[in-house]
Amino acid sequence: MKIKSLPPSLMPRRRYIAFEIEADEPLAKDEVIRAIIRESMEFLGENVLSDADIKVVDFDEATQRGFLACRHTAVDEAMASLAVISSANNKRACAVPLGVSGTIKALKRKFLKAPLPAISEVDFELKLMGGLRVARRRGELMDAIPMAEELRNRTKDLNVKYIGLASKDTTSLDITDTK
Amino acid sequence: MNFIDLHVHSISSRGVDTPLRLAYHARKLGIEIGLCDGAEVRPEPGIAAVGVEVRATNKGAFKAQLKTLSRRFDYVVITGGDEVSNRLAVSDDRADILAHPSIGRSNSGIDPYIAKKARENSVAVEISLGEVINSRGSQRVAALRNIKRNVMLSRKYGFELTACTGAKCRYDLRAAAGVAGILKAIGLSGPEMRGAMIEAPKRIIGR
């Protein structure tokens, strides 16, 4: 026999938190869910997590955006769980909270509909900081692979693949197209 | 709640992102950052101030450094850790922030003498969120324990706390809501959070 659902007065009130994952490479849904659950369990502990009732509801691999659900009294705990994420599957990543809403419909309308600029693969060099090979461009942002030994070591130590630049960084610099 | 993170490094010192890239991410997160590279940066929305981080090992050299740097930059961050650095950092009112006072130590790095001096000279003690975010297991336990001890000492002796990520790349920056969530979990009250996230940083950069 199917168990009866609770009357509305006893149903827990929910909040939905939209987030965006930032990482060097797009992450799979599984990796994101595992990272959020692991970090919330490690940081909050099993008992607090059971009260907060944090669950990842959806994650879109194409936009790297998703949302999680929690009890309405546990928004701070859910935000803390997102904030302590520093990697997913040993890849450097972070979760940026986009907003909180009481319904999924409003959350999607307010925070998950804004289009993202497409990532384009590029290949040119900047004569800056011992040489940078710009590999990707997204809107006004650029990711570059350093050629100088010291910067290579720094990216390795921080477990990041690219040096982050903004397009304004290149306005006064010497650019060599390698294509 | 807003957040001003005064301990961020760009590619000019120990980081991997340019100041403009970090400013873009700060705007996206709805926060402001202070770059403590000890390098000039052109004004950009998202960058609240420009500071410098120095290590204090020798009293004479430290005072001389402070004399020059406090005039050149909006604020001065002192790298803490060992007892000498922590004591020197709070001994001069031209120093602004004592950063990661507990790094490499088995305790929080703040004793009653340092706490009193920090209050006297208005030196804020950093809540090193980076040590919580980028560690796990026993290391994270130790980082949380040290922060909680410094919060307790701040309540007793009245020195300021300031929340900082110590970010070295774009992935280390955190939104105000996330920082508030971590500080609440640590046990800070609403006014204490506001003090560490906004009021102390504003006082330091002179707004």
Side-chain angles (χ1 to χ4, degrees):
Chain A
M1 201 191 338
K2 197 181 166 191
I3 196 162
K4 281 187 179 178
S5 60
L6 288 170
S9 60
L10 292 179
M11 291 281 265
R13 288 164 65 189
R14 320 282 295 165
R15 287 292 179 271
Y16 301 93
I17 302 173
F19 64 87
E20 184 179 313
I21 294 292
E22 284 186 359
D24 284 336
E25 303 295 340
L27 297 179
K29 187 176 178 177
D30 273 5
E31 291 175 317
V32 174
I33 293 174
R34 245 180 274 139
I36 292 173
I37 297 303
R38 185 196 62 206
E39 290 294 348
S40 12
M41 196 121 51
E42 284 185 7
F43 185 68
L44 301 173
E46 291 161 355
N47 187 34
V48 175
L49 186 59
S50 70
D51 288 335
D53 203 8
I54 297 168
K55 283 174 194 152
V56 181
V57 182
D58 196 14
F59 183 75
D60 179 8
E61 289 180 5
T63 60
Q64 293 287 295
R65 285 174 177 168
F67 61 99
L68 52 84
C70 64
R71 289 273 167 96
H72 78 290
T73 50
V75 173
D76 288 333
E77 284 80 353
M79 287 292 189
S81 304
L82 287 177
V84 290
I85 293 171
S86 60
S87 65
N89 201 14
N90 290 327
K91 297 169 197 161
R92 199 66 202 267
C94 70
V96 178
L98 301 174
V100 185
S101 180
T103 64
I104 294 175
K105 193 178 170 184
L107 187 89
K108 286 183 175 172
R109 190 186 68 238
K110 287 182 195 166
F111 307 113
L112 298 172
K113 279 209 168 154
L116 280 174
I119 297 176
S120 53
E121 304 285 326
V122 291
D123 190 6
F124 60 87
E125 280 177 25
L126 294 174
K127 287 176 182 168
L128 161 77
M129 295 164 225
L132 297 174
R133 183 178 288 271
V134 179
R136 301 192 314 182
R137 193 164 204 156
R138 174 179 241 177
E140 60 180 286
L141 308 180
M142 293 193 298
D143 293 329
I145 296 167
M147 287 183 249
E149 186 70 23
E150 199 246 322
L151 278 180
R152 273 176 189 268
N153 290 340
R154 218 186 278 178
T155 51
K156 205 174 163 187
D157 289 345
L158 294 173
N159 193 21
V160 293
K161 199 170 165 185
Y162 302 111
I163 294 283
L165 299 109
S167 52
K168 275 196 252 173
D169 284 315
T170 61
T171 49
S172 58
L173 300 166
D174 195 0
I175 298 173
T176 315
D177 199 337
T178 52
K179 272 191 176 172
Chain B
M1 193 179 283
N2 207 340
F3 175 43
I4 304 172
D5 185 351
L6 291 183
H7 192 177
V8 177
H9 293 282
S10 79
I11 200 161
S12 310
S13 60
R14 283 182 255 164
V16 293
D17 297 309
T18 63
L20 291 175
R21 179 67 179 260
L22 290 168
Y24 171 89
H25 285 280
R27 290 195 299 272
K28 187 176 176 185
L29 291 165
I31 63 167
E32 288 183 280
I33 55 171
L35 294 173
C36 49
D37 297 320
E40 304 295 332
V41 180
R42 60 184 164 185
E44 178 75 15
I47 299 177
V50 179
V52 60
E53 183 169 2
V54 292
R55 185 166 274 283
T57 43
N58 171 287
K59 193 175 179 181
F62 175 60
K63 299 270 178 194
Q65 264 185 322
L66 275 182
K67 193 178 172 186
T68 337
L69 296 173
S70 60
R71 281 192 210 138
R72 240 181 100 195
F73 296 100
D74 299 327
Y75 63 100
V76 182
V77 178
I78 317 298
T79 311
D82 60 283
E83 205 175 304
V84 176
S85 305
N86 288 355
R87 286 200 172 212
L88 275 177
V90 296
S91 67
D92 197 305
D93 61 3
R94 288 169 295 188
D96 293 301
I97 300 172
L98 168 57
H100 29 76
S102 58
I103 203 156
R105 301 181 63 88
S106 56
N107 57 41
S108 76
I110 305 290
D111 59 19
Y113 173 82
I114 293 173
K116 282 178 200 164
K117 281 286 175 190
R119 168 152 173 91
E120 270 174 39
N121 293 316
S122 300
V123 178
V125 174
E126 180 187 73
I127 296 178
S128 311
L129 296 171
E131 288 172 26
V132 176
I133 292 164
N134 293 316
S135 62
R136 48 185 2 101
S138 57
Q139 275 186 327
R140 185 182 277 176
V141 171
L144 288 167
R145 187 189 57 219
N146 291 334
I147 292 171
K148 285 175 183 178
R149 189 182 139 98
N150 288 347
V151 170
M152 179 269 288
L153 288 170
S154 162
R155 285 174 186 153
K156 167 84 178 157
Y157 293 100
F159 61 84
E160 271 184 323
L161 292 168
T162 180
C164 300
T165 57
K168 289 181 190 147
C169 73
R170 54 204 177 273
Y171 304 128
D172 285 337
L173 296 174
R174 290 295 178 271
V179 172
I182 295 175
L183 295 180
K184 191 182 169 193
I186 287 170
L188 271 78
S189 65
E192 285 171 337
M193 277 194 265
R194 199 183 314 282
M197 291 169 68
I198 309 166
E199 286 162 11
K202 274 188 175 173
R203 183 199 58 78
I204 290 166
I205 61 177
R207 276 197 194 163

